[in-house]
Amino acid sequence: QVQLVESGGGLVQPGESLTLTCAVSGFSLNYLTVAWFRQAPGKEREGVSCTSASSGDTYYLDSVKGRFAIYRDDFSKSVSLKMNSLEPEDSAVYYCAARPGSLPPNMCTLTDSFRSWGQGTQVTVSP
């Protein structure tokens, strides 16, 4: 029932910024925990950031702390990931995921915690 559509990916140079947006439909955003994951070729999918239902508590992967910010937009029913100071290591397909109810930070990093997924958007950071 929950539908997620990512957008905003693209090709940028190191040090530049990019904002990804996950459009959410089929469920009240306030009741959803929404997370961003990424997967680079040959690597496992990893949790990048998460915003918990109701409270809006956030989690960030250590390597993106201070550079990325996740936020909700209740009006547009979307969750965005603003990515600053991008590095080549950030290159990956980025996915948004969601599930009803709250999750503690440690659970937000696990793909198995989520049932709804978007199709992904490519982010490439290269000179």
Side-chain angles (χ1 to χ4, degrees):
Q1 270 273 294
V2 178
Q3 295 182 353
L4 308 172
V5 180
E6 303 98 332
S7 62
L11 191 155
V12 297
Q13 295 183 352
E16 294 184 339
S17 299
L18 206 58
T19 298
L20 307 181
T21 299
C22 177
V24 180
S25 62
F27 213 91
S28 176
L29 181 59
N30 186 57
Y31 292 107
L32 291 174
T33 290
V34 181
W36 284 95
F37 291 79
R38 67 186 182 187
Q39 187 167 23
K43 295 188 176 182
E44 295 184 357
R45 192 171 301 182
E46 64 177 352
V48 178
S49 186
C50 180
T51 173
S52 181
S54 300
S55 70
D57 291 347
T58 58
Y59 160 84
Y60 296 96
L61 183 67
D62 283 345
S63 62
V64 308
K65 286 182 179 177
R67 298 191 297 120
F68 291 11
I70 189 170
Y71 57 93
R72 297 166 178 260
D73 188 330
D74 294 332
F75 179 77
S76 63
K77 296 183 178 180
S78 65
V79 175
S80 295
L81 182 70
K82 183 173 177 56
M83 305 182 294
N84 297 320
S85 302
L86 284 164
E87 305 167 357
E89 292 75 20
D90 296 316
S91 297
V93 176
Y94 282 71
Y95 301 89
C96 62
R99 62 165 285 166
S102 301
L103 280 177
N106 62 312
M107 300 299 291
C108 278
T109 66
L110 305 178
T111 59
D112 288 346
S113 295
F114 299 89
R115 296 291 182 269
S116 300
W117 293 83
Q119 292 299 307
T121 184
Q122 177 71 51
V123 173
T124 302
V125 185
S126 175

